Structure formats: structure tokens, C-alpha cells
Amino acid sequence: MNKHAGAVSELVDQLGRLPGVGRKSAERLAFHLLRVPEAEALALADAIRKVRKDVQYCSICFNLCESSRCAICSDDSRDATRLCVVEQPRDLMSLEQSQAFKGVYHVLLGRIAPLDGIGPDQLTIDSLIDRVRTGNFVEVIMATNPTVEGDGTSLYISNLLSEFPVQITRLARGITAGSVLEYANREMIADALTGRQKF
Amino acid sequence: MNKHAGAVSELVDQLGRLPGVGRKSAERLAFHLLRVPEAEALALADAIRKVRKDVQYCSICFNLCESSRCAICSDDSRDATRLCVVEQPRDLMSLEQSQAFKGVYHVLLGRIAPLDGIGPDQLTIDSLIDRVRTGNFVEVIMATNPTVEGDGTSLYISNLLSEFPVQITRLARGITAGSVLEYANREMIADALTGRQKF
């Protein structure tokens, strides 16, 4: 028996569709939105509307932006000869936050995942190939996630790119800074050994 | 350096104000809202708007409703001689879900919390006293949360109600169904012993 008012019930349902938000959390969030000053609740509603109205994909790299070209593609100080390929805009953001990469990006908007019915055609791979064909890149860095699907996507793309005179690299794997070997799993140790570097 | 587009950044900020949603979760939710079909994202925005526009407090019990009187207060089959006092609408909902109470409610919309600057005047205590004065209640069940502040609020209210010919009770406390004594804390055990019942 649902004793929520209709609008509350609807809000709980909608909040419950967010990732990681269960029924109980959705109720808590709904009551929060009912309790806060009206302006604060409406600010969230407006932010959702605005993001869907204003935000689009960069016509070059498919990063998120509010014009046809994103801040990175518009920035002349970036190294336009190095291209970093990521799955999602948020991956791009993580890389940017590290401030370790000064080149440009290409966002695939997903990874090849046959089990989820996502094939190469649903990603921005065609645009990537076009960019590499027509651009002056010396290096393409595959920075997909270190998962089976991410690795598979990188492998697929690197095969397509092998016809171009461009170096293809991928992110280093190994033990993580600040971790202890005792708790590293077998794969991490194997990666670290395979990719060991000279002192 | 924030590389979010302005609208994304704004959405992340707004989502980050929700209880239990940190920066990282807010980003994840924002990207989710960017990825889902536009209709789904806008449905959430609309639900927030609608809940703030349509939902009000019941003029009798201060439960949430979409008219001036809530579903419970409008329901003639409820026992109008028993009044259950709760802190928040969601507490009312929990009690309703148990289906163990067929009376009516009064929602305080908070608890007396001097440390948060919340005194009796900011709650719906005056209306409660009026209801008890003018109504035909035989019992008032204090169902505030079993916390220091909840207990204090119940104590305060029960003192005010002592002048009326009405029985004042509170929810039973003790060990919880399905639990094991080994893990019950001292307070639970003490409550269970104090309130022990005849077989």
C-alpha cells in the first residue's frame, strides 16, 4: 500500500532510477528535496534541464561541451600531435586532473561490449580513424579502462590504426603508488613484472 | 582546473548538495543524466518541480499530501480515537507499512533539538495540543525516534498533554525480532528487561 502522495511517489520512482540509489535512498532524497528551501530544490531541477539543453558533444573529440568545439580542442597550446583515446568524458576528466597529458583526446562514448549489444558501430571509432587519417598525429595513446571490454576495444582500434604511420601506445600497468605488495593481486604483480623498468 | 562544461559543473554542484552524495557520486550521477534518454532526465527534473508545486502539508496532521487533507485524515475507516505522534512524514510511512496501526497521526515536522536551534515553537506542537483538546482521543502514542532528542520531545509533549483525559503511551523497546542477544547492546537489553512481558 503506497501512502505517498502521487507527486512524492513519482519523485521517489525517478530518483530510484539513478545508479546506486535504492528505494530507501530515493525516499531519503525525496524528503530532503521536500524539506530544503524551494529555490534549492528547483535549482537541481533546472540544472538537469539545462545540462540536457545546453550540453552537447564536441564535434571533434566527442568530449562534453556547450558549443560545437570543446575547451581542449579549442586550446592552441595543447599538443595536437598526441591523441589519447578514452571511453567516456569522465575518463578524460580523470586524465586531465592528473595534469600529466598535454595532448588532445578522442572520446569513444563507450566500449565494445558484445554482451550488452554494443558493437564498434555504436562508438565514435569511424571519426577516430578519420582524425588519424587526416591529422598529423605521431602517437595514439589507448587509455580505455583496464577491463576485458576496455582491453578488447583498444585491441580492435589498434588493429584498425596499424595501417597509419603513427605510434600506438597504451597506459602503463603495474602496482599503484602508495599500495603494498602484500595486497596486490596476481594480475597487478604480473603487469608490474612484465612492464618492469630500468632504474 | 575544472574542465567540466559550465552546465555539467552546475549539475554536479547541485547533485553534490544532496545528502550522502559526495563529489565523486555527484559526477557519476551527472554523467548518468547526460547519458540516459533525454525524456528520462527531464522526468526527474519535472518530478522535483511537481513535488515542490503540488505537495503540501495536511492541514490536520501535517502529513504530506496533494490537497488540504491527507489520505489518512480523509479515511473514515481509520480509528479517530487513537493518535500517533511522529517526527517526520517518512516515520508515518514506516508505521503505515507495518499495517499495525489503524488510528490517525500527527506529524511534528521535526524534534526538539536545542543544539540545532530547534525549539518547540518550530514544530507542530500547538496544533497537536489543539487537536487533543478538541478531539475525542482516548490514546496518544508517542512514536518519536528512540534518540535523546526524540525521547526529549516525547517527554516535553507528554507533560503538555497530561492535563487532558487521554492515555499517553510510547512505542515498546527491547530486542528486535530476528536478532541475537549476543550482539544486542546494553541499552537494548536494559529496555527489554525493563519492559518484560508476561508469557
Side-chain angles (χ1 to χ4, degrees):
Chain A
M1 193 172 58
N2 190 350
K3 283 283 173 189
H4 286 298
V8 181
S9 177
E10 168 70 14
L11 179 57
V12 170
D13 286 349
Q14 290 299 336
L15 288 167
R17 302 181 75 162
L18 294 174
V21 178
R23 180 87 197 164
K24 211 73 192 162
S25 305
E27 284 183 358
R28 200 162 51 100
L29 292 176
F31 284 117
H32 169 84
L33 288 169
L34 274 161
R35 209 169 44 231
V36 295
E38 182 157 10
E40 186 175 332
L42 296 187
L44 172 57
D46 290 343
I48 295 170
R49 272 197 172 281
K50 191 162 158 47
V51 93
R52 291 305 302 228
K53 191 166 69 68
D54 294 354
V55 174
Q56 45 182 303
Y57 293 119
C58 172
S59 59
I60 299 175
C61 77
F62 296 92
N63 184 18
L64 297 170
C65 59
E66 286 180 70
S67 52
S68 68
R69 189 179 290 203
C70 77
I72 295 173
C73 288
S74 311
D75 183 350
D76 289 337
S77 72
R78 309 282 307 203
D79 178 355
T81 66
R82 288 179 204 282
L83 182 63
C84 181
V85 178
V86 296
E87 292 181 23
Q88 295 288 358
R90 67 184 155 200
D91 301 323
L92 183 157
M93 205 179 318
S94 297
L95 287 162
E96 277 300 289
Q97 274 159 9
S98 78
Q99 301 190 15
F101 180 66
K102 298 298 177 196
V104 294
Y105 293 92
H106 191 88
V107 182
L108 296 171
L109 298 178
R111 73 274 179 266
I112 300 173
L115 294 178
D116 298 338
I118 299 171
D121 296 348
Q122 282 146 282
L123 308 180
T124 64
I125 295 179
D126 287 348
S127 305
L128 171 62
I129 305 294
D130 275 351
R131 281 182 83 184
V132 174
R133 177 182 293 122
T134 57
N136 290 313
F137 297 110
V138 297
E139 181 181 5
V140 175
I141 304 166
M142 302 306 306
T144 53
N145 286 311
T147 59
V148 173
E149 292 173 344
D151 284 347
T153 306
S154 279
L155 187 64
Y156 178 87
I157 291 172
S158 63
N159 282 335
L160 292 180
L161 293 180
S162 59
E163 60 169 304
F164 302 110
V166 62
Q167 192 181 14
I168 301 167
T169 58
R170 66 165 200 172
L171 294 184
R173 290 191 193 173
I175 48 173
T176 53
S179 68
V180 283
L181 282 183
E182 190 180 342
Y183 297 122
N185 65 27
R186 215 167 45 176
E187 258 175 46
M188 278 164 64
I189 300 276
D191 281 339
L193 279 172
T194 310
R196 66 189 179 277
Q197 292 143 1
K198 269 199 176 154
F199 240 119
Chain B
M1 194 168 60
N2 189 348
K3 283 282 175 188
H4 286 298
V8 182
S9 175
E10 167 69 13
L11 179 58
V12 170
D13 287 350
Q14 290 299 336
L15 287 167
R17 302 180 76 162
L18 295 173
V21 178
R23 179 86 197 166
K24 210 71 192 165
S25 305
E27 285 183 357
R28 200 162 51 101
L29 293 176
F31 284 116
H32 170 84
L33 288 169
L34 273 161
R35 207 170 44 230
V36 295
E38 181 158 13
E40 186 174 333
L42 296 186
L44 173 56
D46 290 343
I48 296 171
R49 272 196 173 282
K50 191 163 158 47
V51 92
R52 292 304 305 226
K53 190 166 69 68
D54 294 353
V55 174
Q56 46 184 302
Y57 294 119
C58 171
S59 59
I60 299 174
C61 76
F62 296 91
N63 185 16
L64 297 170
C65 61
E66 286 180 71
S67 53
S68 67
R69 189 178 290 203
C70 77
I72 295 171
C73 287
S74 312
D75 182 351
D76 289 339
S77 71
R78 310 280 310 201
D79 178 356
T81 65
R82 291 181 202 279
L83 182 63
C84 181
V85 178
V86 296
E87 293 181 23
Q88 297 287 358
R90 68 184 155 201
D91 301 324
L92 182 158
M93 205 177 320
S94 297
L95 287 162
E96 277 301 289
Q97 274 158 9
S98 78
Q99 300 189 18
F101 180 67
K102 298 297 177 197
V104 293
Y105 294 91
H106 190 89
V107 182
L108 296 172
L109 298 179
R111 73 271 179 268
I112 301 173
L115 293 179
D116 298 337
I118 300 171
D121 295 348
Q122 283 146 279
L123 308 181
T124 64
I125 295 178
D126 287 350
S127 306
L128 171 62
I129 305 295
D130 275 352
R131 281 182 83 184
V132 176
R133 177 182 293 120
T134 57
N136 290 311
F137 297 110
V138 297
E139 181 181 5
V140 175
I141 304 167
M142 301 306 306
T144 54
N145 286 312
T147 59
V148 173
E149 291 172 344
D151 284 347
T153 306
S154 279
L155 188 64
Y156 178 87
I157 292 172
S158 63
N159 282 335
L160 292 179
L161 293 180
S162 60
E163 59 169 303
F164 302 110
V166 62
Q167 191 180 12
I168 301 166
T169 58
R170 66 165 200 172
L171 294 184
R173 290 193 193 170
I175 48 174
T176 52
S179 67
V180 283
L181 282 183
E182 190 181 340
Y183 298 122
N185 66 25
R186 216 168 44 178
E187 258 176 47
M188 278 165 64
I189 300 276
D191 281 339
L193 279 171
T194 310
R196 66 190 180 276
Q197 292 144 358
K198 269 200 175 151
F199 240 118

